[in-house]
Amino acid sequence: RTLDYQLSFLLIGTSDPVGSKASNLSISSARAQNVKSQLIGLGVPEEFLYTQGIGELSFATLPQGVRSVTINVFSDRKQTVVAQGKIP
C-alpha cells in the first residue's frame, strides 16, 4: 500500500541510572543509533529516521536495569505523534 503522506521516525534511546551522566548519554545515543541501523537493514529509508539519546531516566519512570528505545512516528499531515512504541 502506498501512503499519500510521509512518515518520519524519532528513535529515543534511554539508559538506566547506573553510571555517570556522560556515560549514560553516550550509551543511550548508541542504543538509538543501533535501532536505526537495524531499521535501515530492514529497508526503512534512512532519511525518515532520526535518533536522540536522552541518557538516564529516573527510578520513578524506569526501573533499574530496564533500558529501551522509544519510537515516535510522525506524519507530515500532523504535528503530533501518531504512534509510539518501545523496544526493550
Side-chain angles (χ1 to χ4, degrees):
R1 178 177 162 204
T2 302
L3 300 176
D4 61 350
Y5 53 91
Q6 180 177 321
L7 297 176
S8 59
F9 302 85
L10 175 59
L11 312 170
I12 302 173
T14 63
S15 69
D16 62 25
V18 177
S20 71
K21 289 186 182 214
S23 175
N24 288 337
L25 184 58
S26 177
I27 289 168
S28 64
S29 295
R31 184 169 286 124
Q33 186 62 45
N34 183 44
V35 172
K36 178 180 179 178
S37 296
Q38 291 179 36
L39 291 171
I40 291 169
L42 293 171
V44 177
E46 184 174 4
E47 61 267 20
F48 300 147
L49 300 172
Y50 302 90
T51 62
Q52 180 182 8
I54 60 171
E56 65 186 55
L57 294 179
S58 70
F59 283 109
T61 59
L62 185 70
Q64 184 174 359
V66 176
R67 301 152 189 98
S68 68
V69 172
T70 299
I71 301 176
N72 295 315
V73 183
F74 297 89
S75 165
D76 62 355
R77 289 189 177 172
K78 296 183 179 183
Q79 297 300 316
T80 58
V81 175
V82 293
Q84 189 176 52
K86 285 192 181 231
I87 298 175

